[in-house]
Amino acid sequence: YLDVMKTVNEDERLNEYISASETTALKLKEISDDMFRYFLVFSGNDIEAEITSYEAKTLLDQLLSEHVLLLREKGYEVNIQQGAAVTDEIAVMTDAPKLMRVIDNLFSNIFKYADIERRITVSTAMARGRLNVIIKNYVSESASHAESTGVGLKTCHKICESIGARFNTEILGSRGAKVFSARLELPIDKKEGEKK
């Protein structure tokens, strides 16, 4: 609603109030997201998951395309590398809403920590009998000094455990050229593959 108000309103003073409201709303969203992550990671409870078969290419297109579009709109260069083996002939077993939460967390980190001057790579491929999604970005100099609780990535690990996926991250390189890499490995639906 605030976005709509900004487009239809021409009163400069009112626009200042709208911008202030938008900043506050985004801060509240971030706080509620952090509360969810802390609860998820430290509650000790298992996450219930509804595992279903999804066509791999369609699912990834839906989960990644909006984030990639937003990055490009903000001025980031994003290189998409889709493996030839990743087609709708391949099906993955996952809980799509929970997988979406993982993808949301990863792209949220990109917005916070990635160097806007350097290319971001999003690649998908089949490897070791699993569908792999790999996201790489250079870490900005300012982000190298920023403190992080790491709860977002711990949340990703916990969600991935619950949906039968593997998840790992690493940072390689030295100051000024650190590359953050996240790898998500989804199990293949072998029954669906046999039908096709």
Short mmCIF file of all heavy atoms in Angstrom, two decimals, residues 62-132:
data_model
loop_
_atom_site.label_atom_id
_atom_site.label_comp_id
_atom_site.label_asym_id
_atom_site.label_seq_id
_atom_site.Cartn_x
_atom_site.Cartn_y
_atom_site.Cartn_z
N GLN A 62 10.34 -20.57 -10.63
CA GLN A 62 9.43 -19.83 -9.77
C GLN A 62 10.14 -19.27 -8.53
O GLN A 62 9.89 -18.14 -8.13
CB GLN A 62 8.27 -20.72 -9.32
CG GLN A 62 7.29 -21.04 -10.44
CD GLN A 62 6.24 -22.06 -10.02
OE1 GLN A 62 6.32 -22.64 -8.95
NE2 GLN A 62 5.27 -22.28 -10.90
N LEU A 63 11.04 -20.06 -7.94
CA LEU A 63 11.70 -19.64 -6.71
C LEU A 63 12.80 -18.61 -6.94
O LEU A 63 13.04 -17.75 -6.09
CB LEU A 63 12.31 -20.85 -5.99
CG LEU A 63 11.33 -21.88 -5.41
CD1 LEU A 63 12.08 -23.05 -4.82
CD2 LEU A 63 10.43 -21.24 -4.36
N LEU A 64 13.47 -18.68 -8.10
CA LEU A 64 14.63 -17.82 -8.33
C LEU A 64 14.34 -16.56 -9.14
O LEU A 64 14.98 -15.52 -8.94
CB LEU A 64 15.73 -18.62 -9.03
CG LEU A 64 16.30 -19.82 -8.26
CD1 LEU A 64 17.24 -20.62 -9.15
CD2 LEU A 64 17.02 -19.36 -7.00
N SER A 65 13.38 -16.64 -10.08
CA SER A 65 13.21 -15.55 -11.05
C SER A 65 12.90 -14.20 -10.41
O SER A 65 13.46 -13.18 -10.80
CB SER A 65 12.14 -15.92 -12.08
OG SER A 65 10.90 -16.14 -11.46
N GLU A 66 12.02 -14.17 -9.41
CA GLU A 66 11.65 -12.90 -8.79
C GLU A 66 12.86 -12.26 -8.09
O GLU A 66 13.08 -11.05 -8.18
CB GLU A 66 10.50 -13.10 -7.79
CG GLU A 66 10.02 -11.80 -7.20
CD GLU A 66 8.86 -11.98 -6.23
OE1 GLU A 66 8.18 -13.03 -6.26
OE2 GLU A 66 8.64 -11.07 -5.43
N HIS A 67 13.64 -13.08 -7.39
CA HIS A 67 14.82 -12.57 -6.69
C HIS A 67 15.85 -12.02 -7.68
O HIS A 67 16.45 -10.97 -7.44
CB HIS A 67 15.46 -13.67 -5.84
CG HIS A 67 14.63 -14.06 -4.65
ND1 HIS A 67 14.39 -13.21 -3.59
CD2 HIS A 67 13.98 -15.20 -4.35
CE1 HIS A 67 13.64 -13.81 -2.68
NE2 HIS A 67 13.37 -15.02 -3.13
N VAL A 68 16.06 -12.76 -8.77
CA VAL A 68 17.03 -12.32 -9.77
C VAL A 68 16.57 -11.00 -10.39
O VAL A 68 17.37 -10.07 -10.58
CB VAL A 68 17.22 -13.40 -10.85
CG1 VAL A 68 18.02 -12.87 -12.04
CG2 VAL A 68 17.91 -14.63 -10.25
N LEU A 69 15.29 -10.89 -10.68
CA LEU A 69 14.74 -9.65 -11.24
C LEU A 69 14.96 -8.47 -10.30
O LEU A 69 15.38 -7.39 -10.72
CB LEU A 69 13.25 -9.84 -11.53
CG LEU A 69 12.51 -8.65 -12.16
CD1 LEU A 69 13.04 -8.36 -13.55
CD2 LEU A 69 11.02 -8.92 -12.21
N LEU A 70 14.69 -8.68 -9.00
CA LEU A 70 14.88 -7.61 -8.01
C LEU A 70 16.35 -7.18 -7.92
O LEU A 70 16.65 -5.99 -7.83
CB LEU A 70 14.39 -8.05 -6.63
CG LEU A 70 12.88 -8.08 -6.43
CD1 LEU A 70 12.54 -8.74 -5.10
CD2 LEU A 70 12.29 -6.68 -6.47
N LEU A 71 17.25 -8.16 -7.95
CA LEU A 71 18.68 -7.83 -7.92
C LEU A 71 19.07 -6.98 -9.12
O LEU A 71 19.78 -5.97 -8.98
CB LEU A 71 19.52 -9.11 -7.90
CG LEU A 71 19.61 -9.86 -6.57
CD1 LEU A 71 20.29 -11.20 -6.77
CD2 LEU A 71 20.38 -9.04 -5.53
N ARG A 72 18.59 -7.38 -10.29
CA ARG A 72 18.93 -6.63 -11.51
C ARG A 72 18.35 -5.21 -11.46
O ARG A 72 19.00 -4.26 -11.89
CB ARG A 72 18.44 -7.38 -12.74
CG ARG A 72 19.31 -8.61 -13.02
CD ARG A 72 18.81 -9.41 -14.19
NE ARG A 72 19.74 -10.49 -14.53
CZ ARG A 72 19.42 -11.58 -15.19
NH1 ARG A 72 18.17 -11.76 -15.61
NH2 ARG A 72 20.33 -12.50 -15.45
N GLU A 73 17.14 -5.09 -10.92
CA GLU A 73 16.53 -3.75 -10.80
C GLU A 73 17.33 -2.85 -9.86
O GLU A 73 17.37 -1.64 -10.04
CB GLU A 73 15.08 -3.87 -10.28
CG GLU A 73 14.10 -4.32 -11.33
CD GLU A 73 12.68 -4.47 -10.78
OE1 GLU A 73 12.47 -4.27 -9.57
OE2 GLU A 73 11.79 -4.80 -11.58
N LYS A 74 18.00 -3.46 -8.86
CA LYS A 74 18.80 -2.69 -7.91
C LYS A 74 20.22 -2.43 -8.43
O LYS A 74 21.03 -1.81 -7.73
CB LYS A 74 18.90 -3.42 -6.56
CG LYS A 74 17.57 -3.58 -5.84
CD LYS A 74 17.08 -2.27 -5.28
CE LYS A 74 15.80 -2.45 -4.48
NZ LYS A 74 15.24 -1.20 -4.02
N GLY A 75 20.53 -2.91 -9.63
CA GLY A 75 21.84 -2.62 -10.23
C GLY A 75 22.86 -3.73 -10.13
O GLY A 75 24.01 -3.55 -10.54
N TYR A 76 22.49 -4.88 -9.60
CA TYR A 76 23.42 -6.01 -9.54
C TYR A 76 23.47 -6.71 -10.90
O TYR A 76 22.47 -6.80 -11.59
CB TYR A 76 22.98 -7.04 -8.49
CG TYR A 76 23.08 -6.58 -7.07
CD1 TYR A 76 22.03 -5.90 -6.46
CD2 TYR A 76 24.21 -6.84 -6.30
CE1 TYR A 76 22.10 -5.48 -5.14
CE2 TYR A 76 24.29 -6.43 -4.98
CZ TYR A 76 23.24 -5.76 -4.41
OH TYR A 76 23.31 -5.35 -3.10
N GLU A 77 24.65 -7.23 -11.23
CA GLU A 77 24.77 -8.07 -12.43
C GLU A 77 24.63 -9.52 -11.99
O GLU A 77 25.37 -9.97 -11.10
CB GLU A 77 26.13 -7.86 -13.10
CG GLU A 77 26.31 -8.67 -14.36
CD GLU A 77 27.70 -8.59 -14.95
OE1 GLU A 77 28.50 -7.75 -14.50
OE2 GLU A 77 27.97 -9.39 -15.87
N VAL A 78 23.67 -10.23 -12.57
CA VAL A 78 23.41 -11.62 -12.18
C VAL A 78 23.60 -12.52 -13.39
O VAL A 78 23.00 -12.30 -14.44
CB VAL A 78 21.99 -11.80 -11.61
CG1 VAL A 78 21.80 -13.22 -11.09
CG2 VAL A 78 21.71 -10.79 -10.51
N ASN A 79 24.44 -13.52 -13.23
CA ASN A 79 24.70 -14.48 -14.29
C ASN A 79 23.99 -15.79 -13.94
O ASN A 79 24.27 -16.39 -12.90
CB ASN A 79 26.21 -14.70 -14.42
CG ASN A 79 26.55 -15.67 -15.53
OD1 ASN A 79 25.76 -15.89 -16.45
ND2 ASN A 79 27.72 -16.28 -15.44
N ILE A 80 23.06 -16.21 -14.79
CA ILE A 80 22.33 -17.47 -14.57
C ILE A 80 22.98 -18.56 -15.41
O ILE A 80 23.19 -18.41 -16.61
CB ILE A 80 20.85 -17.35 -15.01
CG1 ILE A 80 20.17 -16.15 -14.35
CG2 ILE A 80 20.09 -18.64 -14.75
CD1 ILE A 80 19.95 -16.29 -12.89
N GLN A 81 23.31 -19.66 -14.76
CA GLN A 81 23.90 -20.81 -15.47
C GLN A 81 23.04 -22.03 -15.18
O GLN A 81 23.07 -22.56 -14.08
CB GLN A 81 25.34 -21.05 -15.01
CG GLN A 81 26.26 -19.87 -15.26
CD GLN A 81 27.63 -20.06 -14.64
OE1 GLN A 81 27.87 -21.00 -13.88
NE2 GLN A 81 28.54 -19.16 -14.94
N GLN A 82 22.25 -22.42 -16.16
CA GLN A 82 21.35 -23.56 -15.96
C GLN A 82 21.90 -24.77 -16.70
O GLN A 82 22.09 -24.73 -17.91
CB GLN A 82 19.95 -23.24 -16.45
CG GLN A 82 18.94 -24.29 -16.02
CD GLN A 82 17.52 -23.77 -16.10
OE1 GLN A 82 17.16 -23.07 -17.02
NE2 GLN A 82 16.71 -24.12 -15.12
N GLY A 83 22.16 -25.84 -15.94
CA GLY A 83 22.68 -27.06 -16.52
C GLY A 83 21.66 -27.67 -17.48
O GLY A 83 20.45 -27.63 -17.24
N ALA A 84 22.17 -28.25 -18.56
CA ALA A 84 21.30 -28.83 -19.58
C ALA A 84 20.44 -29.97 -19.02
O ALA A 84 19.35 -30.24 -19.51
CB ALA A 84 22.14 -29.34 -20.76
N ALA A 85 20.94 -30.63 -17.98
CA ALA A 85 20.20 -31.77 -17.40
C ALA A 85 19.03 -31.33 -16.53
O ALA A 85 18.19 -32.14 -16.15
CB ALA A 85 21.15 -32.65 -16.59
N VAL A 86 18.96 -30.04 -16.19
CA VAL A 86 17.88 -29.55 -15.33
C VAL A 86 16.68 -29.23 -16.21
O VAL A 86 16.57 -28.16 -16.80
CB VAL A 86 18.31 -28.31 -14.53
CG1 VAL A 86 17.17 -27.85 -13.62
CG2 VAL A 86 19.55 -28.61 -13.72
N THR A 87 15.76 -30.19 -16.29
CA THR A 87 14.56 -30.05 -17.12
C THR A 87 13.35 -30.47 -16.32
O THR A 87 13.47 -30.96 -15.19
CB THR A 87 14.65 -30.95 -18.37
OG1 THR A 87 14.62 -32.33 -17.92
CG2 THR A 87 15.93 -30.70 -19.16
N ASP A 88 12.17 -30.31 -16.91
CA ASP A 88 10.96 -30.77 -16.24
C ASP A 88 10.81 -32.29 -16.30
O ASP A 88 9.87 -32.84 -15.74
CB ASP A 88 9.72 -30.07 -16.83
CG ASP A 88 9.51 -28.69 -16.21
OD1 ASP A 88 9.99 -28.47 -15.09
OD2 ASP A 88 8.88 -27.84 -16.86
N GLU A 89 11.75 -32.93 -16.97
CA GLU A 89 11.78 -34.40 -16.92
C GLU A 89 12.31 -34.86 -15.56
O GLU A 89 12.09 -36.00 -15.16
CB GLU A 89 12.69 -34.95 -18.04
CG GLU A 89 12.23 -34.62 -19.46
CD GLU A 89 10.86 -35.20 -19.77
OE1 GLU A 89 10.67 -36.42 -19.59
OE2 GLU A 89 9.96 -34.44 -20.18
N ILE A 90 13.01 -33.99 -14.90
CA ILE A 90 13.56 -34.28 -13.57
C ILE A 90 12.60 -33.73 -12.52
O ILE A 90 12.13 -32.60 -12.62
CB ILE A 90 14.94 -33.60 -13.37
CG1 ILE A 90 15.93 -34.00 -14.45
CG2 ILE A 90 15.49 -33.86 -11.98
CD1 ILE A 90 16.34 -35.45 -14.40
N ALA A 91 12.31 -34.53 -11.51
CA ALA A 91 11.44 -34.09 -10.41
C ALA A 91 12.23 -34.17 -9.11
O ALA A 91 13.09 -35.04 -8.93
CB ALA A 91 10.20 -34.97 -10.32
N VAL A 92 11.97 -33.22 -8.22
CA VAL A 92 12.63 -33.21 -6.91
C VAL A 92 11.60 -33.42 -5.81
O VAL A 92 10.43 -33.07 -5.97
CB VAL A 92 13.40 -31.89 -6.67
CG1 VAL A 92 14.58 -31.79 -7.60
CG2 VAL A 92 12.50 -30.67 -6.80
N MET A 93 12.07 -33.99 -4.71
CA MET A 93 11.23 -34.19 -3.54
C MET A 93 11.56 -33.10 -2.53
O MET A 93 12.69 -32.99 -2.06
CB MET A 93 11.50 -35.57 -2.92
CG MET A 93 11.13 -36.73 -3.81
SD MET A 93 9.39 -36.78 -4.24
CE MET A 93 8.62 -37.08 -2.65
N THR A 94 10.57 -32.24 -2.23
CA THR A 94 10.81 -31.15 -1.29
C THR A 94 9.51 -30.60 -0.74
O THR A 94 8.42 -31.03 -1.16
CB THR A 94 11.63 -30.03 -1.97
OG1 THR A 94 12.08 -29.11 -0.97
CG2 THR A 94 10.82 -29.30 -3.03
N ASP A 95 9.62 -29.69 0.18
CA ASP A 95 8.49 -28.91 0.70
C ASP A 95 8.70 -27.50 0.13
O ASP A 95 9.56 -26.76 0.60
CB ASP A 95 8.54 -28.91 2.23
CG ASP A 95 7.40 -28.13 2.86
OD1 ASP A 95 7.05 -27.05 2.33
OD2 ASP A 95 6.88 -28.57 3.90
N ALA A 96 7.95 -27.14 -0.91
CA ALA A 96 8.18 -25.90 -1.64
C ALA A 96 8.13 -24.64 -0.76
O ALA A 96 9.00 -23.78 -0.88
CB ALA A 96 7.22 -25.78 -2.82
N PRO A 97 7.13 -24.48 0.13
CA PRO A 97 7.12 -23.26 0.97
C PRO A 97 8.36 -23.15 1.86
O PRO A 97 8.90 -22.05 2.05
CB PRO A 97 5.85 -23.42 1.82
CG PRO A 97 4.97 -24.30 1.01
CD PRO A 97 5.89 -25.27 0.33
N LYS A 98 8.85 -24.27 2.38
CA LYS A 98 10.04 -24.22 3.23
C LYS A 98 11.29 -23.98 2.39
O LYS A 98 12.20 -23.26 2.80
CB LYS A 98 10.14 -25.49 4.06
CG LYS A 98 9.07 -25.53 5.12
CD LYS A 98 9.19 -26.67 6.07
CE LYS A 98 8.14 -26.56 7.16
NZ LYS A 98 6.77 -26.46 6.69
N LEU A 99 11.33 -24.57 1.21
CA LEU A 99 12.44 -24.31 0.30
C LEU A 99 12.46 -22.83 -0.09
O LEU A 99 13.53 -22.22 -0.18
CB LEU A 99 12.33 -25.19 -0.94
CG LEU A 99 13.41 -25.03 -2.00
CD1 LEU A 99 14.79 -25.34 -1.42
CD2 LEU A 99 13.12 -25.92 -3.20
N MET A 100 11.29 -22.26 -0.29
CA MET A 100 11.19 -20.84 -0.61
C MET A 100 11.79 -19.99 0.52
O MET A 100 12.46 -18.99 0.28
CB MET A 100 9.74 -20.43 -0.86
CG MET A 100 9.58 -18.98 -1.27
SD MET A 100 7.91 -18.58 -1.82
CE MET A 100 6.99 -18.73 -0.30
N ARG A 101 11.58 -20.41 1.77
CA ARG A 101 12.14 -19.68 2.92
C ARG A 101 13.66 -19.69 2.87
O ARG A 101 14.31 -18.68 3.17
CB ARG A 101 11.63 -20.35 4.21
CG ARG A 101 11.93 -19.60 5.46
CD ARG A 101 10.80 -18.66 5.78
NE ARG A 101 11.24 -17.69 6.78
CZ ARG A 101 10.49 -16.74 7.25
NH1 ARG A 101 9.27 -16.59 6.82
NH2 ARG A 101 10.95 -15.90 8.13
N VAL A 102 14.24 -20.82 2.47
CA VAL A 102 15.70 -20.93 2.35
C VAL A 102 16.20 -19.98 1.27
O VAL A 102 17.16 -19.22 1.47
CB VAL A 102 16.12 -22.39 2.03
CG1 VAL A 102 17.61 -22.47 1.70
CG2 VAL A 102 15.78 -23.31 3.21
N ILE A 103 15.55 -20.02 0.11
CA ILE A 103 15.94 -19.15 -1.01
C ILE A 103 15.80 -17.68 -0.60
O ILE A 103 16.67 -16.85 -0.89
CB ILE A 103 15.10 -19.46 -2.27
CG1 ILE A 103 15.31 -20.91 -2.73
CG2 ILE A 103 15.39 -18.47 -3.39
CD1 ILE A 103 16.66 -21.24 -3.27
N ASP A 104 14.70 -17.34 0.08
CA ASP A 104 14.49 -15.97 0.56
C ASP A 104 15.64 -15.52 1.47
O ASP A 104 16.14 -14.40 1.36
CB ASP A 104 13.17 -15.84 1.32
CG ASP A 104 11.95 -15.88 0.42
OD1 ASP A 104 12.10 -15.79 -0.81
OD2 ASP A 104 10.82 -16.02 0.95
N ASN A 105 16.04 -16.41 2.38
CA ASN A 105 17.15 -16.09 3.30
C ASN A 105 18.44 -15.82 2.54
O ASN A 105 19.18 -14.88 2.84
CB ASN A 105 17.38 -17.24 4.29
CG ASN A 105 16.58 -17.10 5.57
OD1 ASN A 105 16.00 -16.06 5.83
ND2 ASN A 105 16.54 -18.15 6.35
N LEU A 106 18.74 -16.68 1.55
CA LEU A 106 19.98 -16.54 0.79
C LEU A 106 20.01 -15.22 0.03
O LEU A 106 21.02 -14.51 0.02
CB LEU A 106 20.16 -17.72 -0.16
CG LEU A 106 20.45 -19.06 0.51
CD1 LEU A 106 20.49 -20.19 -0.51
CD2 LEU A 106 21.78 -19.00 1.26
N PHE A 107 18.89 -14.88 -0.61
CA PHE A 107 18.87 -13.63 -1.38
C PHE A 107 18.82 -12.42 -0.46
O PHE A 107 19.34 -11.35 -0.81
CB PHE A 107 17.73 -13.64 -2.39
CG PHE A 107 18.10 -14.41 -3.64
CD1 PHE A 107 17.82 -15.76 -3.75
CD2 PHE A 107 18.75 -13.79 -4.69
CE1 PHE A 107 18.17 -16.48 -4.88
CE2 PHE A 107 19.10 -14.48 -5.83
CZ PHE A 107 18.81 -15.84 -5.92
N SER A 108 18.23 -12.56 0.71
CA SER A 108 18.26 -11.48 1.69
C SER A 108 19.71 -11.18 2.09
O SER A 108 20.12 -10.01 2.21
CB SER A 108 17.45 -11.87 2.92
OG SER A 108 17.58 -10.92 3.94
N ASN A 109 20.52 -12.24 2.24
CA ASN A 109 21.94 -12.07 2.55
C ASN A 109 22.68 -11.37 1.41
O ASN A 109 23.57 -10.56 1.65
CB ASN A 109 22.61 -13.42 2.84
CG ASN A 109 22.39 -13.87 4.27
OD1 ASN A 109 21.82 -13.15 5.07
ND2 ASN A 109 22.83 -15.06 4.57
N ILE A 110 22.31 -11.69 0.18
CA ILE A 110 22.95 -11.04 -0.96
C ILE A 110 22.70 -9.54 -0.91
O ILE A 110 23.62 -8.73 -1.07
CB ILE A 110 22.44 -11.64 -2.30
CG1 ILE A 110 23.01 -13.06 -2.47
CG2 ILE A 110 22.85 -10.77 -3.48
CD1 ILE A 110 22.47 -13.81 -3.66
N PHE A 111 21.45 -9.14 -0.66
CA PHE A 111 21.13 -7.72 -0.57
C PHE A 111 21.92 -7.03 0.55
O PHE A 111 22.31 -5.88 0.43
CB PHE A 111 19.63 -7.50 -0.37
CG PHE A 111 18.84 -7.57 -1.65
CD1 PHE A 111 17.97 -8.63 -1.89
CD2 PHE A 111 18.96 -6.57 -2.61
CE1 PHE A 111 17.24 -8.69 -3.07
CE2 PHE A 111 18.23 -6.62 -3.79
CZ PHE A 111 17.37 -7.69 -4.02
N LYS A 112 22.15 -7.76 1.65
CA LYS A 112 22.85 -7.16 2.79
C LYS A 112 24.37 -7.12 2.59
O LYS A 112 25.02 -6.16 3.00
CB LYS A 112 22.56 -7.95 4.07
CG LYS A 112 21.18 -7.77 4.63
CD LYS A 112 21.03 -8.62 5.89
CE LYS A 112 19.60 -8.67 6.36
NZ LYS A 112 19.41 -9.63 7.45
N TYR A 113 24.94 -8.18 2.01
CA TYR A 113 26.39 -8.35 2.06
C TYR A 113 27.12 -8.38 0.72
O TYR A 113 28.34 -8.31 0.69
CB TYR A 113 26.73 -9.63 2.82
CG TYR A 113 26.11 -9.69 4.20
CD1 TYR A 113 25.19 -10.68 4.54
CD2 TYR A 113 26.44 -8.75 5.18
CE1 TYR A 113 24.62 -10.73 5.81
CE2 TYR A 113 25.89 -8.80 6.45
CZ TYR A 113 24.97 -9.79 6.75
OH TYR A 113 24.42 -9.82 8.00
N ALA A 114 26.41 -8.51 -0.39
CA ALA A 114 27.10 -8.65 -1.69
C ALA A 114 27.65 -7.33 -2.19
O ALA A 114 27.06 -6.27 -1.97
CB ALA A 114 26.15 -9.25 -2.72
N ASP A 115 28.77 -7.42 -2.89
CA ASP A 115 29.38 -6.25 -3.53
C ASP A 115 28.62 -5.97 -4.82
O ASP A 115 28.63 -6.79 -5.75
CB ASP A 115 30.85 -6.57 -3.84
CG ASP A 115 31.61 -5.38 -4.40
OD1 ASP A 115 30.97 -4.39 -4.82
OD2 ASP A 115 32.85 -5.45 -4.42
N ILE A 116 27.96 -4.82 -4.89
CA ILE A 116 27.13 -4.48 -6.04
C ILE A 116 27.96 -4.29 -7.32
O ILE A 116 27.45 -4.36 -8.43
CB ILE A 116 26.26 -3.23 -5.76
CG1 ILE A 116 25.12 -3.12 -6.76
CG2 ILE A 116 27.13 -1.97 -5.74
CD1 ILE A 116 24.04 -2.13 -6.39
N GLU A 117 29.27 -4.08 -7.15
CA GLU A 117 30.15 -3.88 -8.31
C GLU A 117 30.60 -5.20 -8.94
O GLU A 117 31.20 -5.20 -10.01
CB GLU A 117 31.39 -3.08 -7.89
CG GLU A 117 31.10 -1.73 -7.25
CD GLU A 117 30.40 -0.77 -8.21
OE1 GLU A 117 30.69 -0.81 -9.41
OE2 GLU A 117 29.55 0.01 -7.74
N ARG A 118 30.32 -6.31 -8.26
CA ARG A 118 30.82 -7.61 -8.75
C ARG A 118 29.64 -8.52 -9.10
O ARG A 118 28.57 -8.44 -8.52
CB ARG A 118 31.68 -8.31 -7.67
CG ARG A 118 32.77 -7.45 -7.08
CD ARG A 118 33.92 -7.17 -8.01
NE ARG A 118 34.80 -8.29 -8.18
CZ ARG A 118 35.85 -8.56 -7.41
NH1 ARG A 118 36.15 -7.78 -6.38
NH2 ARG A 118 36.61 -9.60 -7.65
N ARG A 119 29.88 -9.40 -10.04
CA ARG A 119 28.83 -10.29 -10.56
C ARG A 119 28.41 -11.34 -9.54
O ARG A 119 29.23 -11.89 -8.81
CB ARG A 119 29.36 -10.99 -11.82
CG ARG A 119 28.36 -11.96 -12.43
CD ARG A 119 28.97 -12.72 -13.59
NE ARG A 119 29.33 -11.82 -14.66
CZ ARG A 119 30.03 -12.19 -15.73
NH1 ARG A 119 30.46 -13.43 -15.83
NH2 ARG A 119 30.31 -11.32 -16.67
N ILE A 120 27.12 -11.63 -9.53
CA ILE A 120 26.54 -12.71 -8.73
C ILE A 120 26.24 -13.86 -9.68
O ILE A 120 25.71 -13.64 -10.78
CB ILE A 120 25.25 -12.25 -8.03
CG1 ILE A 120 25.57 -11.13 -7.03
CG2 ILE A 120 24.54 -13.41 -7.33
CD1 ILE A 120 24.36 -10.33 -6.61
N THR A 121 26.57 -15.08 -9.29
CA THR A 121 26.31 -16.24 -10.14
C THR A 121 25.29 -17.15 -9.47
O THR A 121 25.45 -17.50 -8.29
CB THR A 121 27.60 -17.04 -10.41
OG1 THR A 121 28.58 -16.17 -10.96
CG2 THR A 121 27.35 -18.19 -11.37
N VAL A 122 24.27 -17.53 -10.22
CA VAL A 122 23.27 -18.50 -9.75
C VAL A 122 23.30 -19.64 -10.75
O VAL A 122 22.97 -19.46 -11.93
CB VAL A 122 21.86 -17.88 -9.69
CG1 VAL A 122 20.84 -18.92 -9.22
CG2 VAL A 122 21.82 -16.65 -8.78
N SER A 123 23.72 -20.81 -10.30
CA SER A 123 23.81 -21.95 -11.22
C SER A 123 23.02 -23.14 -10.71
O SER A 123 22.88 -23.34 -9.51
CB SER A 123 25.28 -22.34 -11.46
OG SER A 123 25.90 -22.69 -10.25
N THR A 124 22.48 -23.90 -11.65
CA THR A 124 21.76 -25.13 -11.32
C THR A 124 22.34 -26.25 -12.16
O THR A 124 22.68 -26.05 -13.33
CB THR A 124 20.24 -24.99 -11.61
OG1 THR A 124 20.06 -24.66 -12.99
CG2 THR A 124 19.62 -23.92 -10.75
N ALA A 125 22.47 -27.41 -11.56
CA ALA A 125 23.05 -28.55 -12.27
C ALA A 125 22.70 -29.84 -11.55
O ALA A 125 22.32 -29.82 -10.37
CB ALA A 125 24.57 -28.40 -12.36
N MET A 126 22.83 -30.94 -12.27
CA MET A 126 22.68 -32.26 -11.65
C MET A 126 24.07 -32.73 -11.25
O MET A 126 25.00 -32.67 -12.05
CB MET A 126 22.07 -33.24 -12.65
CG MET A 126 20.64 -32.92 -13.03
SD MET A 126 19.50 -33.04 -11.64
CE MET A 126 19.67 -34.77 -11.23
N ALA A 127 24.22 -33.18 -10.01
CA ALA A 127 25.51 -33.70 -9.53
C ALA A 127 25.26 -34.69 -8.42
O ALA A 127 24.42 -34.46 -7.55
CB ALA A 127 26.40 -32.55 -9.04
N ARG A 128 25.98 -35.77 -8.45
CA ARG A 128 25.89 -36.83 -7.43
C ARG A 128 24.45 -37.28 -7.19
O ARG A 128 24.03 -37.52 -6.05
CB ARG A 128 26.52 -36.34 -6.12
CG ARG A 128 28.00 -35.98 -6.25
CD ARG A 128 28.64 -35.64 -4.92
NE ARG A 128 28.10 -34.43 -4.33
CZ ARG A 128 28.57 -33.21 -4.56
NH1 ARG A 128 29.55 -33.03 -5.41
NH2 ARG A 128 28.04 -32.16 -3.95
N GLY A 129 23.65 -37.35 -8.27
CA GLY A 129 22.28 -37.83 -8.17
C GLY A 129 21.34 -36.86 -7.47
O GLY A 129 20.25 -37.25 -7.02
N ARG A 130 21.74 -35.59 -7.36
CA ARG A 130 20.91 -34.58 -6.74
C ARG A 130 20.88 -33.33 -7.60
O ARG A 130 21.78 -33.10 -8.39
CB ARG A 130 21.44 -34.21 -5.34
CG ARG A 130 21.20 -35.31 -4.32
CD ARG A 130 21.77 -34.94 -2.96
NE ARG A 130 21.20 -35.84 -1.96
CZ ARG A 130 20.37 -35.47 -0.99
NH1 ARG A 130 20.02 -34.22 -0.86
NH2 ARG A 130 19.89 -36.34 -0.15
N LEU A 131 19.84 -32.53 -7.41
CA LEU A 131 19.76 -31.25 -8.09
C LEU A 131 20.46 -30.21 -7.23
O LEU A 131 20.11 -30.02 -6.07
CB LEU A 131 18.29 -30.85 -8.31
CG LEU A 131 18.07 -29.47 -8.90
CD1 LEU A 131 18.66 -29.36 -10.30
CD2 LEU A 131 16.60 -29.13 -8.94
N ASN A 132 21.47 -29.58 -7.80
CA ASN A 132 22.27 -28.59 -7.07
C ASN A 132 21.92 -27.18 -7.49
O ASN A 132 21.82 -26.89 -8.68
CB ASN A 132 23.76 -28.82 -7.34
CG ASN A 132 24.30 -30.03 -6.61
OD1 ASN A 132 25.17 -29.93 -5.78
ND2 ASN A 132 23.75 -31.20 -6.94
#
